[in-house]
């Protein structure tokens, strides 16, 4: 989950990609290769799927467990680690080079409309990231509650 947060802590955007075949909004994701640590995998995956490798301001694991991945088989559950990366607003590019499954990659506002357009498991990762950022004071309570109360 890559987020950029405004200096006043009242606005945040999430980095999402979309695929032509389904029109949904997806988080960048990929697999950790054998003998690869998570940080290296995150850098490689973001570069591959967005054409950009951010300078990260902290990271936090928002979910560890199993996740259904329809790209594998009809009954594929893969072990995942979903991490939060917060980037400086000024360091975040406006244009990306989509890769992997993505047709487009762009910043989307973190609001209920955006979160509700995401697959439910990925939407939960964004919600968990918002809760964490609210707890540590990176985003304002009003913004967090508005999104969390209106997203499924």
């Amino acid at each position: 989950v890559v987020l950029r947060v405004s200096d006043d802590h009242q606005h945040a955007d999430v980095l999402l990609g979309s695929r032509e075949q389904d029109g949904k909004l997806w988080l960048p994701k990929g697999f950790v290769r054998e003998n690869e640590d998570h940080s290296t995998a995150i850098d490689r995956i973001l570069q591959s799927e967005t054409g950009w490798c951010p300078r990260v301001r902290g990271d936090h694991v928002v979910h560890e467990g199993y996740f259904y991945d329809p790209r594998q088989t009809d009954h594929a559950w893969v072990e995942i680690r979903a991490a939060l990366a917060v980037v400086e607003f000024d360091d975040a590019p406006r244009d990306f080079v989509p890769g992997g499954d993505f047709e487009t990659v762009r910043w989307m506002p973190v609001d209920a409309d955006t979160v509700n357009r995401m697959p439910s498991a990925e939407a939960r990762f964004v919600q968990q990231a918002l809760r964490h950022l609210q707890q540590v004071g990176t985003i304002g309570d009003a913004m967090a509650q508005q999104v969390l109360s209106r997203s499924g």
Side-chain angles (χ1 to χ4, degrees), residues 76-94:
W77 290 88
V78 293
E79 189 173 352
I80 67 152
R81 180 179 188 185
L84 166 64
V86 179
V87 299
E88 297 290 338
F89 217 83
D90 295 336
D91 291 339
R94 293 193 173 140

Side-chain angles (χ1 to χ4, degrees), residues 95-109:
D95 298 313
F96 298 94
V97 179
D101 295 336
F102 291 151
E103 296 291 323
T104 62
V105 175
R106 64 188 182 271
W107 292 110
M108 297 289 293

Side-chain angles (χ1 to χ4, degrees), residues 124-139:
R124 280 194 303 274
F125 301 155
V126 173
Q127 291 166 333
Q128 290 167 329
L130 287 176
R131 285 185 190 97
H132 171 73
L133 293 177
Q134 179 185 19
Q135 288 173 352
V136 299
T138 302
I139 62 170

Side-chain angles (χ1 to χ4, degrees), residues 1-3 14-19 22 24-30 49 62-63 66-71 77-78 80 82-84 101-102 110-111 114-131 147-148 151-152:
V1 180
V2 181
L3 295 176
V14 60
L15 186 60
L16 297 172
S18 61
R19 303 178 194 157
D22 62 18
K24 292 182 183 176
L25 298 173
W26 298 85
L27 296 167
K29 61 181 163 281
E49 296 213 334
V62 295
H63 181 82
Y66 292 93
F67 179 77
Y68 176 70
D69 188 348
R71 297 176 300 171
W77 290 88
V78 293
I80 67 152
L84 166 64
D101 295 336
F102 291 151
V110 177
D111 60 23
T114 297
V115 175
N116 288 332
R117 288 181 55 201
M118 299 173 68
S120 61
E122 294 194 18
R124 280 194 303 274
F125 301 155
V126 173
Q127 291 166 333
Q128 290 167 329
L130 287 176
R131 285 185 190 97
V147 175
L148 293 171
S151 58

